[in-house]
Amino acid sequence: MPYCVVSHGDPSAAAAGEEGDVRIFYQRYGHGGTKVLLIIGFAGTHESWGPQVKGLTGAVEPVDEESPAADDGAAGEGVEVCCFDNRGIGRSSVPPHKSHYTTVIMAKDALALMDHLGWRTAHVILSAKFGITTSYSDIVTNYGDHGEAGSMIASKLAAIAPERVASLALLNTTGGGYQCIPKIDWQTISLACRFLRARTPEQRAGVDLDVHYTRKYLDEIVGSNTRRQMLYQEYVKGLSSCGMQSRHGFEGQLNACWTHKLTQKELDRIRSSGFLILVIHGRDDVVAQLYHARKLAEKLQPAAKLVELHGGHLVSHERTDEEEWSNLPKKSDDQLLAGSDSRLAKRECNIIVIYNLLGKLQLILLFFFGVFYIILEHTRRVLRVLKPVRVSATSL
């Protein structure tokens, strides 16, 4: 099987108990001078890229890894695609500690894979498969299964090594941290409960479908079945072949999302690097909120373009035609939607602030209770010492 062995050479990581090198499983498709790296997101595997791989290369079977990789200069026309399993899932290694999962570490995994493949030279290509016009050297593109985390890894890669990227596409992304919190309503609460209870591929497949796609898309009739019935079988097959994600992998990748942050310096570096950036988002995404994608696109101006499509978290599967381009989020057509998203984001920020204040209030109350208890005990001791002693008449 094709693996890339990654060793970041971090003595502190080894001292913390990391079990040797990390092996990253990958698959290559197609041949050509144009290199496309597909970075999957949270809890997703390389197999989720099937439609994109076929659309870009026309191939359904991976390249035989026994054959040497063609030199970029001699490869000529064509597209070579590589997709892989992130650490913590699929056939890649599963480090046991959460500290071994950050978007910086996972971006370095992707860079190590690019080095392993020998992807170095620059090329230019027009890709209209998903309504995207891009230029590539070693292009980092993210559409994937749970695109939010994959976008974080891709953006961190662009900040670490912008000279390796000529085009960056971020699908259904957020800025990490509290921005990972989805829109809070009964639907997302129900999906979260079902996700945590899922123990079999069948249960997980049912949840994933409702997370990834809109109900309208799933209820469409294709042939004699609904799209939900067709995709359900595919999801169960994929989950059964790779196995359910382990607890270590799940908690580690979740930690990577929660601790992700792009500093202003990193944003400036990405914005000034000279490559095209696409921020692509589904308006009906129940995982990553559109408001955060719009804010990120604004921060990456003028290099970034925002594409909003009607669709869910896997909008690249639902929508194959470009619907709307803008350099800045429009306030005319979607003013109500933007205002709603803004209010929801502010509400979630307020919840976090209130939670932190309650934590501090608890500490203050414990402090005053402790002081009161100490004063009470001291008073009782003083009264016990000052208490008058009764003397009987017989003793006089």
Side-chain angles (χ1 to χ4, degrees):
M1 290 186 180
Y3 285 96
C4 169
V5 180
V6 179
S7 177
H8 296 311
D10 185 359
S12 62
E18 185 168 358
E19 298 178 359
D21 296 330
V22 173
R23 301 206 311 164
I24 301 297
F25 178 82
Y26 69 92
Q27 294 280 26
R28 288 190 299 130
Y29 298 85
H31 294 280
T34 301
K35 311 301 183 183
V36 180
L37 182 66
L38 302 175
I39 303 179
I40 200 64
F42 176 67
T45 67
H46 73 282
E47 294 181 339
S48 303
W49 290 112
Q52 285 77 19
V53 167
K54 186 176 181 181
L56 290 168
T57 67
V60 293
E61 295 296 329
V63 172
D64 182 7
E65 290 302 322
E66 295 298 324
S67 60
D71 179 72
D72 289 349
E77 297 181 357
V79 179
E80 181 181 343
V81 172
C82 179
C83 48
F84 62 98
D85 293 340
N86 284 311
R87 59 171 61 205
I89 197 167
R91 300 172 189 171
S92 291
S93 299
V94 183
H97 303 290
K98 288 195 297 184
S99 60
H100 301 153
Y101 298 84
T102 66
T103 52
V104 172
I105 292 174
M106 297 168 83
K108 290 180 179 179
D109 289 345
L111 284 170
L113 177 57
M114 293 169 68
D115 292 337
H116 174 78
L117 297 172
W119 287 8
R120 297 180 299 274
T121 59
H123 296 272
V124 179
I125 188 173
L126 174 70
S127 172
K129 175 62 181 174
F130 302 104
I132 301 168
T133 303
T134 53
S135 60
Y136 305 80
S137 59
D138 295 325
I139 170 174
V140 177
T141 308
N142 172 68
Y143 287 102
D145 191 359
H146 293 259
E148 186 175 358
S151 293
M152 296 178 194
I153 299 169
S155 59
K156 190 62 76 170
L157 188 156
I160 294 172
E163 71 280 0
R164 304 293 298 274
V165 183
S167 179
L168 181 64
L170 305 175
L171 174 72
N172 290 36
T173 187
T174 70
Y178 78 90
Q179 293 186 17
C180 294
I181 300 173
K183 182 176 64 175
I184 299 176
D185 55 22
W186 287 114
Q187 180 188 8
T188 53
I189 293 172
S190 173
L191 288 172
C193 293
R194 289 170 57 196
F195 181 84
L196 294 174
R197 288 199 306 264
R199 295 291 181 269
T200 66
E202 290 77 13
Q203 292 173 334
R204 175 66 184 275
V207 180
D208 283 353
L209 287 175
D210 289 328
V211 170
H212 294 167
Y213 306 102
T214 60
R215 181 175 298 179
K216 179 180 178 181
Y217 179 77
L218 292 173
D219 291 343
E220 290 179 0
I221 303 297
V222 181
S224 57
N225 297 315
T226 63
R227 201 182 300 275
R228 179 187 293 273
Q229 293 170 320
M230 296 174 59
L231 289 172
Y232 178 78
Q233 298 301 325
E234 294 179 11
Y235 271 51
V236 171
K237 181 180 178 181
L239 289 166
S240 299
S241 63
C242 292
M244 298 285 286
Q245 187 176 23
S246 68
R247 179 177 62 86
H248 291 310
F250 175 81
E251 292 179 353
Q253 291 193 351
L254 190 62
N255 179 70
C257 293
W258 190 251
T259 58
H260 172 77
K261 182 180 180 180
L262 286 174
T263 65
Q264 188 59 50
K265 185 177 180 179
E266 289 175 321
L267 288 168
D268 293 340
R269 191 177 188 194
I270 295 173
R271 184 175 57 244
S272 61
S273 294
F275 51 78
L276 175 65
I277 304 168
L278 296 179
V279 181
I280 308 166
H281 210 96
R283 291 194 179 103
D284 304 307
D285 189 348
V286 298
V287 178
Q289 296 191 57
L290 177 59
Y291 169 79
H292 299 309
R294 287 174 170 170
K295 297 300 291 184
L296 178 62
E298 288 184 28
K299 292 177 181 178
L300 293 174
Q301 286 297 311
K305 289 183 179 292
L306 178 68
V307 181
E308 297 181 12
L309 304 174
H310 286 297
H313 197 55
L314 281 194
V315 68
S316 61
H317 289 222
E318 288 195 48
R319 306 289 302 197
T320 58
D321 297 322
E322 178 184 320
E323 183 168 300
E324 177 180 327
W325 283 78
S326 65
N327 271 338
L328 287 171
K330 291 185 177 180
K331 297 182 179 179
S332 55
D333 298 335
D334 301 315
Q335 190 171 10
L336 292 177
L337 179 61
S340 175
D341 289 341
S342 177
R343 287 191 297 272
L344 285 171
K346 290 179 181 178
R347 185 187 307 168
E348 288 163 7
C349 291
N350 291 336
I351 291 173
I352 294 173
V353 170
I354 293 171
Y355 178 81
N356 292 332
L357 288 175
L358 288 175
K360 293 179 180 179
L361 180 61
Q362 182 183 21
L363 292 175
I364 294 172
L365 291 175
L366 286 173
F367 172 77
F368 281 113
F369 177 78
V371 172
F372 175 76
Y373 179 78
I374 292 172
I375 294 174
L376 180 63
E377 285 296 310
H378 182 72
T379 303
R380 288 176 60 186
R381 290 177 184 175
V382 171
L383 291 176
R384 193 179 297 119
V385 172
L386 297 178
K387 184 178 180 180
V389 178
R390 293 182 179 180
V391 180
S392 61
T394 56
S395 61
L396 295 175

